[in-house]
Amino acid sequence: MTNDYLDTDAELENTLLSAPFAGRQAVFARIQQYLIDPSDRHALLFMGRKSIGKSATLLQCQKVLGEHVIGCYLPLNDTVVADESTWLTYLYHYTNFAVQKYQLNIDRLPDAPDEPDSYRDWFANEYLLELSKLIRPHRRWIWLIDDVEFLIKA
């Protein structure tokens, strides 16, 4: 399984996942609590200075949070997000890759539209609806967006 969007980041992900990892139990507990609280549906943000383990923590979330949480790690450090349709295309490809990684049937998800102008409606009203059906009610989907400042600058 290959993904053109992951070429440079796959090596980083493999390196971070294979490194020994200790601590951060409080961080994982906070994320777990956030995920099980139905009243809290806002974004959860972890900030900090460079090289303190934010990326490694996000990658470990996929392992630590259990089978009921499906994580999609999105590194933005080498990504140029020029506009909304570029961002949604990127999100779509990474999401599909994560679905395949969890061995879910990607064929049930709708293909992206040809016209970038219609991406927002398609993503919100078709794609996410089918994604929700695919992961079923007993699981949660979580996007783990790394280097979010690159998205904010777009």
Side-chain angles (χ1 to χ4, degrees):
M1 173 176 13
T2 62
N3 184 339
D4 295 338
Y5 288 83
L6 296 176
D7 288 345
T8 59
D9 300 310
E11 187 176 315
L12 171 66
E13 183 174 345
N14 288 335
T15 301
L16 290 173
L17 283 174
S18 63
F21 195 84
R24 304 284 199 275
Q25 286 81 3
V27 171
F28 295 129
R30 173 68 179 106
I31 294 171
Q32 187 69 39
Q33 181 60 39
Y34 169 80
L35 289 171
I36 62 173
D37 182 359
S39 66
D40 194 356
R41 291 290 166 238
H42 297 89
L44 184 62
L45 176 66
F46 289 98
M47 293 176 42
R49 66 182 186 283
K50 188 175 180 156
S51 300
I52 63 169
K54 296 180 303 296
S55 297
T57 300
L58 288 176
L59 284 166
Q60 285 296 327
C61 279
Q62 297 175 84
K63 288 182 175 181
V64 173
L65 295 177
E67 292 180 10
H68 68 283
V69 176
I70 299 177
C72 178
Y73 176 73
L74 290 104
L76 298 180
N77 57 340
D78 291 328
T79 305
V80 177
V81 179
D83 54 35
E84 182 180 72
S85 63
T86 304
W87 162 242
L88 291 174
T89 301
Y90 183 74
L91 190 59
Y92 164 73
H93 286 289
Y94 264 89
T95 301
N96 280 352
F97 185 73
V99 166
Q100 290 175 324
K101 191 174 171 181
Y102 283 92
Q103 299 178 344
L104 299 172
N105 186 359
I106 194 169
D107 295 334
R108 292 181 50 196
L109 296 175
D111 291 330
D114 294 329
E115 291 297 319
D117 293 341
S118 60
Y119 249 67
R120 178 191 287 194
D121 288 335
W122 166 82
F123 195 83
N125 299 319
E126 292 179 46
Y127 185 76
L128 290 180
L129 178 65
E130 291 303 318
L131 179 64
S132 296
K133 290 177 189 176
L134 184 64
I135 65 169
R136 307 225 170 101
H138 63 280
R139 295 186 191 132
R140 299 271 184 173
W141 182 266
I142 182 172
W143 280 295
L144 303 161
I145 304 172
D146 199 2
D147 301 309
V148 74
E149 68 272 13
F150 290 96
L151 183 60
I152 293 169
K153 291 176 186 177

